[in-house]
Amino acid sequence: MSGAVEANFDGLVGPTHNYGGLAPGNLASAKNRGAVAHPRHGVLEGLAKARMLADAGLAQGLLPPQERPDIPALRALGFAGRSDGAVWEAAYRSAPELALNMLSASSMWAANAATVSPGADTSDARAHFTPANLVTALHRSIEHVQTQKALSRIFADEARFAVHGALPSQAHFADEGAANHVRLCAQHGAPGVEIFVHGRDAFETWQAKYPARQTLQACEAVERRHGLDPARTVHIRQSRKAIEAGAFHNDVVCVGTGPVLFYHEHAFEDCAAALDAIRRAAEGLFEPVFVEVPDAEVPLSDAITSYLFNSQLLIWPGESRQVLLAPKETEETASTLAYCQRLTSGNGPIGAVQFADVRQSMRNGGGPACLRLRVVLDEAQRAAVNPRAWLTAERHGALTQWANAHYRETLAPDDLGDPALVDESRAALDALTQIMGLGSDFYPFQRS
Ligand code: SUG
């Protein structure tokens, strides 16, 4: 794959961003339930992070938010009204908990949009995408149909891209997408090792404080569909300890790019076996570089509150060593700040740490790495991407204006039942389809 890059596609924070306390096993979501959200500030924070990467010369794209509240879903559940606003008002009044699940802006966490395998790893040399079914949490299980549509509009060229449907929406195939997937390689365009991390085997009994959101069977199904080489594919089990401490996705305790895997000592159930399997799969391709963070230096609980590992690990133009783009919270936590200083003062593979402010998302358990979907693209694939999905300085300007015009400054619990939210968020999304070139039939409300 000539001239391949690892592009980041960031999920835009949607107009109904709020703190619903909806996500099982996600400590930040539970803690902030009912807090006042700042949707406008949230979308601008995300755009600023994306702009920083685009300005540095990295390939940076965007994924659109979804239509919320999800009126078609509410109507299917029997809520009715003379207008869509009235349906929302009725649903929120009579079944607020259910309604909140239909309001979440959770598609912003693009790492959960899909699992992506670059053409260098697949049997037909196309980049493959499997949208995640996200069956573990109600509010997320309604994302995958629209996610598939978005990916199909952005990666439309079927000669170069294969956008699959999600796996069956069944607990045995519980799939959380790229949050539980890491790809290591010598260079982005060279064949790599795809690492799938699961929390449980679907055919065993799982009894724990929190759910294990990813099954081995989902990982294996994605491996088959994408036509991956089993010799270059590794399946690792996430540690129960990490899940019980609040690492609801593997990307809360692990991130990797190029040959580098950066992970917490307690990330995997059997760490030595995991590293051996990665070494074997990489044989003849590259030498993996493991950076393990000891619990004695960064306790698991600090790793989870600071989101040290939910960072973007980037091959930065002009830098010989990798750059870690961590959330501000990592800078504000004593153990992780000290660790970052040690990490970069040696001559290891990570040479610098930068900090991004994405607090609106962080309060729902979404750090810099959650907000992006990585897609390795060669030159021809890059040219085949819908051009208006890329973040340029000009599009950043247009989106800033758009956010200022359409997003509320605050959304407090008392605002959530407001019927006006329906038309307001539709007006925002309608305008966005123009900016991003998604067509005028992209959202369900545009088709009805
Ligand atoms: O699925 N939070 C998301 C956060 C996803 C983070 N993604 C990655 N780690 N890749 C989740 O738990 C909270 C929504 C709320 O409570 O309102 C939420 O869905």
Side-chain angles (χ1 to χ4, degrees):
M1 289 171 70
S2 72
V5 295
E6 185 177 76
N8 287 291
F9 286 81
D10 279 42
L12 284 169
V13 173
T16 63
H17 158 59
N18 73 96
Y19 298 109
L22 306 173
N26 172 340
L27 306 184
S29 154
K31 180 174 161 209
N32 293 305
R33 178 190 187 111
V36 175
H38 294 78
R40 187 188 299 169
H41 193 64
V43 69
L44 294 174
E45 277 178 352
L47 278 167
K49 169 179 94 70
R51 173 76 192 265
M52 186 173 134
L53 269 60
D55 284 350
L58 290 155
Q60 178 67 55
L62 299 170
L63 293 175
Q66 301 201 354
E67 176 181 339
R68 296 289 182 272
D70 188 339
I71 300 295
L74 289 168
R75 285 194 186 273
L77 293 167
F79 296 103
R82 278 202 321 277
S83 65
D84 286 345
V87 172
W88 173 244
E89 201 174 19
Y92 191 78
R93 199 178 41 240
S94 65
E97 203 163 348
L98 173 56
L100 268 187
N101 277 275
M102 304 297 150
L103 184 69
S104 174
S106 54
S107 68
M108 73 176 81
W109 298 299
N112 305 119
T115 306
V116 186
S117 298
D121 301 346
T122 64
S123 53
D124 64 4
R126 293 188 296 168
H128 283 246
F129 301 76
T130 292
N133 61 27
L134 298 169
V135 288
T136 304
L138 175 59
H139 67 296
R140 305 222 58 184
S141 68
I142 57 174
E143 291 175 32
H144 69 87
V145 173
Q146 187 67 16
T147 300
Q148 184 183 350
K149 188 173 266 304
L151 295 174
S152 304
R153 297 253 160 129
I154 295 172
F155 305 100
D157 181 350
E158 290 179 13
R160 295 191 164 82
F161 306 117
V163 177
H164 301 266
L167 296 175
S169 288
Q170 213 285 332
H172 280 69
F173 303 111
D175 179 18
E176 299 276 321
N180 282 29
H181 177 252
V182 183
R183 178 176 188 265
L184 301 184
C185 56
Q187 281 101 31
H188 295 312
V193 169
E194 298 210 9
I195 303 169
F196 289 83
V197 185
H198 59 277
R200 67 186 163 94
D201 184 313
F203 295 104
E204 74 186 11
T205 313
W206 174 261
Q207 275 173 331
K209 192 156 109 194
Y210 299 131
R213 295 199 198 179
Q214 181 86 28
T215 67
L216 171 62
Q217 285 68 20
C219 297
E220 290 172 339
V222 173
E223 174 191 359
R224 283 188 293 269
R225 286 172 157 209
H226 290 193
L228 302 181
D229 178 353
R232 303 287 186 205
T233 307
V234 178
H235 293 279
I236 296 180
R237 189 169 181 138
Q238 194 184 359
S239 77
R240 172 180 280 264
K241 193 179 186 133
I243 296 172
E244 296 212 325
F248 54 96
H249 289 133
N250 176 63
D251 69 5
V252 175
V253 281
C254 169
V255 61
T257 200
V260 180
L261 190 71
F262 178 58
Y263 59 95
H264 191 270
E265 178 185 349
H266 295 315
F268 311 124
E269 194 64 50
D270 183 343
C271 192
L275 303 189
D276 266 359
I278 295 169
R279 269 191 215 99
R280 274 198 308 279
E283 234 164 57
L285 293 181
F286 62 94
E287 192 67 44
V289 179
F290 298 121
V291 181
E292 179 172 306
V293 180
D295 196 65
E297 288 187 48
V298 176
L300 193 51
S301 56
D302 279 5
I304 289 165
T305 47
S306 73
Y307 260 39
L308 167 65
F309 296 94
N310 201 260
S311 297
Q312 292 181 253
L313 194 52
L314 298 157
I315 298 175
W316 199 268
E319 292 289 331
S320 57
R321 297 196 289 163
Q322 295 191 354
V323 172
L324 191 75
L325 180 63
K328 270 274 179 208
E329 287 75 356
T330 292
E331 194 178 21
E332 293 160 359
T333 304
S335 66
T336 49
L337 177 62
Y339 180 81
C340 289
Q341 285 162 346
R342 270 198 301 282
L343 177 71
T344 51
S345 62
N347 53 3
I350 302 172
V353 182
Q354 298 197 25
F355 299 101
D357 186 350
V358 288
R359 281 185 216 278
Q360 286 297 307
S361 167
M362 278 290 285
R363 288 186 188 133
N364 258 333
C370 297
L371 287 163
R372 57 89 174 106
L373 182 68
R374 292 186 286 181
V375 185
V376 170
L377 300 164
D378 65 19
E379 275 166 26
Q381 288 172 328
R382 194 170 168 180
V385 171
N386 178 341
R388 285 199 267 170
W390 295 115
L391 184 69
T392 57
E394 193 191 355
R395 201 155 289 114
H396 181 267
L399 288 166
T400 302
Q401 269 186 9
W402 164 79
N404 285 327
H406 291 283
Y407 278 54
R408 289 195 190 188
E409 209 166 303
T410 58
L411 259 185
D414 283 350
D415 305 327
L416 299 178
D418 183 354
L421 270 181
V422 175
D423 284 344
E424 260 175 56
S425 80
R426 286 178 178 180
L429 299 181
D430 200 37
L432 182 68
T433 53
Q434 314 281 318
I435 301 173
M436 288 189 67
L438 294 164
S440 54
D441 60 347
F442 180 64
Y443 287 109
F445 74 85
Q446 294 175 313
R447 298 193 292 272
S448 61

